[in-house]
Amino acid sequence: MVQRMTRIAGVDGCPGGWIVVEATLNLNAATWKIAPNWNAIGCVAEIMAVDMPIGISSNGVRQCEVEARASLSPCGSRVFKTLPRGALRFAQSEWVAANQWSKAQGFGGISKQTWNIRPRILEIDGVLTAADQDRVFEAHPELAFARLNEGKPLASKHLPEGRLLRTRLLKAAGFGMIDTWLGSLRGSGAKADDLLDACALVLTARHIARGTARRLPAGIERDARGLGMSISY
């Protein structure tokens, strides 16, 4: 399996759309770019690790997120609770109405952070099928960074010490060009933490390619569309 895989990618949502980092298995020939939407990504990688919910449950509860939050304790809140599928029918401007609807159904509220990524969730949900999940895997950068850090969650990526440690870990993992990349972000439509997260997702894609990835949950959970709901790291 590894022999035929020449490219891997980490993909994260960002203000400009999607930030995509591609590399070979040994992290050579690494590149990054911003794509305005999912269909414009044009990624040729055989394995893509994406920080976005894939598969939406009817009640907004996904076991992969439950287990990811437990794994990252006491920093579990970094894994947002995904909205229930029924909430996708509301317009982006209708967060209040969607939130009230979700609560009335007994599904709990929808956080503003989760609602803000709803357009990205819709993009993926509109194009991916179960067959695509042999190539496109849901991942989470906080799990990827914790794995790099001997299983321990890092300080917040919004703090200087958190960004510094993430940068150091990525350099040690083989991203020697990360400082240059960070210096070229201005005006790109992505922030420093978006790029760092996408690089961490590349490492998850490499684990998947090599058969060393971990997956939450251990079993198979599927949504109404047949999409598997799991997080690899």
Side-chain angles (χ1 to χ4, degrees):
M1 180 180 180
V2 171
Q3 295 301 317
R4 69 175 180 82
M5 291 183 182
T6 58
R7 300 290 286 181
I8 51 178
V11 184
D12 192 20
C14 68
W18 299 90
I19 183 166
V20 184
V21 175
E22 287 190 61
T24 58
L25 286 175
N26 59 9
L27 304 187
N28 288 336
T31 62
W32 73 275
K33 66 180 179 182
I34 305 294
N37 55 65
W38 182 264
N39 288 330
I41 288 177
C43 182
V44 299
E46 285 90 346
I47 294 292
M48 299 170 63
V50 184
D51 179 21
M52 198 58 59
I54 298 175
I56 310 299
S57 71
S58 60
N59 62 2
V61 177
R62 304 195 309 154
Q63 185 61 26
C64 57
E65 293 172 352
V66 173
E67 295 187 19
R69 283 190 284 271
S71 177
L72 288 170
S73 181
C75 303
S77 61
R78 296 175 185 176
V79 180
F80 300 157
K81 178 179 177 291
T82 303
L83 44 70
R85 179 167 289 281
L88 293 175
R89 64 184 172 84
F90 290 86
Q92 190 62 29
S93 61
E94 297 180 311
W95 170 60
V96 173
N99 194 34
Q100 291 174 341
W101 170 84
S102 184
K103 289 179 178 178
Q105 303 303 309
F107 301 153
I110 301 171
S111 73
K112 196 62 182 288
Q113 294 97 325
T114 296
W115 193 251
N116 286 341
I117 65 171
R118 173 185 167 277
R120 304 284 180 264
I121 296 174
L122 278 171
E123 284 187 59
I124 287 185
D125 193 63
V127 298
L128 289 189
T129 66
D132 295 318
Q133 292 186 288
D134 287 338
R135 176 183 180 236
V136 182
F137 295 78
E138 180 178 347
H140 201 290
E142 291 298 316
L143 289 171
F145 277 120
R147 183 166 180 175
L148 279 177
N149 195 41
E150 300 179 345
K152 297 175 290 188
L154 280 63
S156 171
K157 64 183 181 182
H158 302 297
L159 297 175
E161 58 266 34
R163 289 192 294 272
L164 180 60
L165 181 53
R166 282 166 173 75
T167 302
R168 287 176 177 170
L169 288 170
L170 289 173
K171 285 182 181 178
F175 283 100
M177 72 300 288
I178 193 67
D179 285 332
T180 300
W181 283 4
L182 289 169
S184 63
L185 279 175
R186 189 178 183 87
S188 70
K191 300 176 293 183
D193 59 279
D194 298 322
L195 178 59
L196 297 174
D197 284 352
C199 288
L201 295 172
V202 170
L203 301 179
T204 293
R206 184 167 67 177
H207 277 303
I208 295 169
R210 290 177 170 172
T212 57
R214 302 164 187 170
R215 189 184 71 180
L216 301 174
I220 298 176
E221 183 182 31
R222 296 192 181 276
D223 73 353
R225 293 189 55 230
L227 292 171
M229 296 183 286
S230 64
I231 299 176
S232 299
Y233 67 103

